[in-house]
């Protein structure tokens, strides 16, 4: 594209095309991608720590961990990751949708015994509400897809926050690789 200020690439920030600007943009996107992967690994490790410990000690203080506290910590860490790496409404919406839908996509695998959550962390029963009562439309569909006992399928309540982080990670990597694919003369 051509504008009053020179030539521009088509991307979110309308980046001017000159060699130095392209190098700076490439470096910034690469650094964000590295930070995204690193922070996502940290977030996933944090989720493991929160799920496998009843309390954490910080100095002389001991903090008890329960499902609500763990979820709050994970949501806060995800928000910080998003704010540092992206801060766009579209990325927030994509990561939030994935945070809700991603764990639900695990249900067929849990129902068919491909994996399970350790009992201490299986604190979220997404198919146990009134919507999924036996004999109802949603309940009948769930029973056909997931089998009987779908009401007892349990996930970890913080699984969604890991999906959020991985989505933020994927967006940062996607931007970096997309920018790399644009020829220098465009």
């Amino acid at each position: 594209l051509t504008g009053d200020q020179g030539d521009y690439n088509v991307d979110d920030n309308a980046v001017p095309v000159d060699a130095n600007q392209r190098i700076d943009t490439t470096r910034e996107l690469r650094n964000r991608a590295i930070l995204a992967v690193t922070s996502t690994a940290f977030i996933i490790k944090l989720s493991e720590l929160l799920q496998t410990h009843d309390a954490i000690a910080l100095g002389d203080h001991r903090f008890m961990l329960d499902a609500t506290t763990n979820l709050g910590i994970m949501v806060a860490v995800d928000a910080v990751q998003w704010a540092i790496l992206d801060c766009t409404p579209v990325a927030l919406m994509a990561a939030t949708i994935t945070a809700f839908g991603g764990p639900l996509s695990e249900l067929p695998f849990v129902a068919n015994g491909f994996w399970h959550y350790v009992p201490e962390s299986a604190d979220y029963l997404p198919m146990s509400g009134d919507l999924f009562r036996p004999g109802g439309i949603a309940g009948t569909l769930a029973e056909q897809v997931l089998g009987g006992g779908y009401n007892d399928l349990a996930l970890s309540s913080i699984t969604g926050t890991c999906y959020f982080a991985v989505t933020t990670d994927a967006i940062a990597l996607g931007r970096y690789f997309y920018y790399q694919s644009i020829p220098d003369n465009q």
Side-chain angles (χ1 to χ4, degrees), residues 19-170:
N20 290 332
Q21 182 66 39
R22 183 163 177 89
I23 291 168
D24 289 345
T25 300
T26 299
R27 186 176 298 126
E28 179 182 339
L29 291 172
R30 184 193 68 226
N31 289 343
R32 283 182 187 221
I34 291 168
L35 180 59
V37 171
T38 305
S39 62
T40 297
F42 166 77
I43 288 169
I44 291 171
K45 195 64 179 170
L46 176 62
S47 74
E48 176 190 357
L49 176 98
L50 293 173
Q51 290 294 357
T52 58
H53 291 80
D54 294 332
I56 54 174
L58 296 174
D60 293 336
H61 301 304
R62 185 172 168 88
F63 298 95
M64 299 307 294
L65 298 173
D66 60 15
T68 303
T69 303
N70 292 349
L71 184 59
I73 291 168
M74 293 296 293
V75 167
V77 171
D78 278 351
V80 168
Q81 182 196 40
W82 170 79
I84 290 171
L85 292 176
D86 198 293
C87 216
T88 64
V90 171
L92 178 62
M93 185 171 56
T96 301
I97 289 168
T98 306
F100 284 98
L104 297 179
S105 70
E106 293 183 8
L107 289 174
F109 299 100
V110 174
N112 290 296
F114 290 104
W115 71 70
H116 66 278
Y117 286 89
V118 294
E120 305 83 53
S121 68
D123 58 2
Y124 170 49
L125 301 164
M127 308 296 248
S128 65
D130 288 339
L131 178 64
F132 294 98
R133 71 181 181 285
I137 293 172
T140 302
L141 179 63
E143 187 170 353
Q144 288 177 357
V145 173
L146 303 172
Y150 63 87
N151 296 83
D152 298 324
L153 293 175
L155 303 172
S156 169
S157 59
I158 65 172
T159 301
T161 60
C162 293
Y163 276 91
F164 186 102
V166 169
T167 303
T168 304
D169 181 329

